[in-house]
């Protein structure tokens, strides 16, 4: 962060733990477009059944990457 006089762009993270349904691809594009309009950086991840990484691991990686806001399904995150 430091003492820069320039404002930092917000960094957003979204993890879809639902597979590759068509709906999520459309929502991903909408979120990316909207974040760009608002001057934010966004990382959107899909956790599909063919990826060895778990949805929870995706969330922790997003947090470790320095995001300011994360969007996830809290019920799913706390169970299992």
């Amino acid at each position: 962060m430091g003492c820069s006089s320039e404002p930092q762009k917000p960094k957003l993270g979204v993890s879809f733990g639902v597979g590759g349904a068509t709906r999520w691809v459309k929502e991903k594009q909408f979120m990316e477009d909207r974040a760009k309009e608002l001057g934010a950086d966004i990382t959107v991840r899909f956790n599909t059944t063919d990826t060895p990484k778990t949805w929870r691991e995706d969330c922790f990686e997003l947090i470790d990457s320095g995001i300011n806001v994360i969007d996830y399904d809290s019920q799913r995150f706390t169970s299992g």
Side-chain angles (χ1 to χ4, degrees):
M1 294 276 174
C3 297
S4 174
S5 61
E6 290 192 33
Q8 297 282 327
K9 279 184 166 184
K11 294 171 81 175
L12 313 173
V14 179
S15 179
F16 289 106
V18 296
T22 308
R23 170 185 174 191
W24 305 123
V25 175
K26 291 177 183 176
E27 288 192 21
K28 175 185 182 284
Q29 188 61 56
F30 172 79
M31 286 187 250
E32 289 173 338
D33 292 345
R34 189 68 176 131
K36 184 177 181 180
E37 288 174 17
L38 296 171
D41 289 328
I42 188 168
T43 300
V44 180
R45 294 195 179 174
F46 292 104
N47 188 267
T48 58
T49 54
D50 61 344
T51 5
K53 202 180 304 179
T54 67
W55 175 76
R56 184 178 287 193
E57 288 170 325
D58 271 345
C59 288
F60 283 117
E61 283 184 7
L62 288 167
I63 293 166
D64 290 343
S65 75
I67 61 165
N68 304 111
V69 177
I70 189 166
D71 184 19
Y72 65 92
D73 179 348
S74 61
Q75 181 179 11
R76 183 177 170 151
F77 191 73
T78 57
S79 63

